[in-house]
Amino acid sequence: MQKAGIYCWILAALLAGCSKDDSSDDDDNGNWRELSELAGDPRAEAVSFVIGDTAYIGTGFNGEDYLRDFLKYTPRSGWTQIADLPAAADARSSAVAMVIGQTAYVGTGQNELGYRLNDFWSYTPSKGYWEKKASLIGPNPSLELNRKDAVAFALKGNGYVATGYHNGALKDVWMYSPGEDKWYPRQSFEGTKRTEAVAFVIQDKAYIVTGVNNSENKIDFWEYHPDEDDWVELREIANTNDDQDYDDDYDMACSNAVAFVKNNKAYISTGTKGGLSKLTWEYNPATDMWLQLREFEGVARTGAVGFTLGNVLYLSTGRSSGSYFDDLYSFDPDETYNEDD
């Protein structure tokens, strides 16, 4: 998830083609490190969230079973098991998670029977257990809002769920008020319908990008302003501008990628684009530009999770064909690539 100016230097063109950075080759921009594996099952289509100095990963599918377990991670202490989703909550994959204050909310997804879900559960570390919250139900209870592969984010004390899949791709948007424990409809996503997109938040604005519908990876990119309940279209993430060359090498359209944020820039990595991807991109909202960085150094995958902890970016889990992963990688976009770590 990132955009940045793409400039070609003459010398670089003579030696190795166009660079997307004015100081170094893409392969040197950013550095990945492999860390300790997840303490639980390998999995894909899990959820992750961060509260304070701790990251959490849970749910997902391990190739045989749908999961309801959760683990927490700190760089100092490593991995520790926490309370599972309760028995009243279906084990699931392709759910969403969002954090409002010191409480995480996990919901939607798909269970072992293939049913799309609409229930939500909250977890507050100081309590140490999960509590049932209002299911995703709007003013018209007959309207089915169950879904999988949606996106979720939190803005100004409220949570949001958007897009996803239920008998087709979706573009509706719902706001959760934690004080009322209620859901309210908001302005529908103004881009094309999609599932398996990513969302991120920078300075009280949310962004939705990537995703797929009708087997087509989506290239439109949108910014959401919660106060106005309004969507603003940004530059497309493909080479569609014939008059300028900033997008000549854009190649970030994909589905089921991960997103993370650091220092008011966003990052997307991995996912599916025909085959599995290892590409990593940085988005700068100040310029509405993307910059390609060092590709992910693990196995190409889809259905991973990404999170930011202590100003470090992390990527974990996912799958490649029939292989499911429990690995963990950190990424520093400001470091030069080091092949020895």
Side-chain angles (χ1 to χ4, degrees), residues 4-64:
I6 302 181
Y7 302 97
C8 293
W9 289 73
I10 295 176
L11 178 58
L14 292 173
L15 295 175
C18 291
S19 169
K20 301 170 189 61
D21 179 73
D22 61 1
S23 61
S24 61
D25 186 83
D26 295 335
D27 287 347
D28 294 330
N29 296 337
N31 191 45
W32 294 89
R33 290 186 176 87
E34 187 170 10
L35 306 173
S36 58
E37 294 92 346
L38 190 75
D41 287 356
R43 67 193 68 199
E45 311 293 345
V47 297
S48 67
F49 56 86
V50 171
I51 300 176
D53 62 356
T54 303
Y56 299 80
I57 293 178
T59 68
F61 181 67
N62 67 7
E64 296 181 356

Side-chain angles (χ1 to χ4, degrees), residues 198-235:
V198 296
F200 55 87
V201 171
I202 298 176
Q203 295 185 336
D204 290 331
K205 295 176 183 177
Y207 300 78
I208 293 180
V209 69
T210 69
V212 64
N213 187 26
N214 297 318
S215 300
E216 178 183 68
N217 287 329
K218 297 303 176 180
I219 62 172
D220 52 331
F221 180 24
W222 295 81
E223 175 184 272
Y224 179 67
H225 301 191
D227 291 340
E228 297 81 10
D229 188 25
D230 183 44
W231 292 91
V232 175
E233 187 169 17
L234 303 174
R235 288 172 170 152

Side-chain angles (χ1 to χ4, degrees), residues 34 50 65 71 111 117 125 147 169 178 195 215 219 269-270 276 290 294 315 332:
E34 187 170 10
V50 171
D65 299 311
L71 301 106
N111 67 11
L117 306 172
R147 67 195 62 209
T195 182
S215 300
I219 62 172
S269 188
T270 65
L276 299 181
W290 296 82
R294 175 69 183 174
L315 188 152
D332 188 337

Side-chain angles (χ1 to χ4, degrees), residues 233-253:
E233 187 169 17
L234 303 174
R235 288 172 170 152
E236 292 181 330
I237 60 168
N239 182 14
T240 58
N241 190 326
D242 295 332
D243 299 325
Q244 299 184 51
D245 61 4
Y246 70 87
D247 60 354
D248 285 355
D249 294 327
Y250 275 16
D251 188 25
M252 58 283 260

Side-chain angles (χ1 to χ4, degrees), residues 20 26 29 249 279-282 290-294:
K20 301 170 189 61
D26 295 335
N29 296 337
D249 294 327
L279 296 181
T280 301
W281 293 83
E282 175 187 87
W290 296 82
L291 174 70
Q292 188 174 353
L293 302 183
R294 175 69 183 174

Side-chain angles (χ1 to χ4, degrees), residues 31-39 55 57 73-79 260 296-299 301 305 307-317 325-332 335 340-341:
N31 191 45
W32 294 89
R33 290 186 176 87
E34 187 170 10
L35 306 173
S36 58
E37 294 92 346
L38 190 75
I57 293 178
Y73 172 80
T74 66
R76 181 177 58 220
S77 302
W79 294 98
F260 14 52
F296 176 60
E297 292 177 28
V299 177
R301 65 193 61 195
V305 297
F307 56 88
T308 306
L309 187 61
N311 218 28
V312 176
L313 309 178
Y314 294 85
L315 188 152
S316 184
T317 66
F325 302 114
D326 59 3
D327 49 3
L328 175 69
Y329 286 81
S330 68
F331 179 63
D332 188 337
E335 248 182 38
D340 295 324
D341 62 11

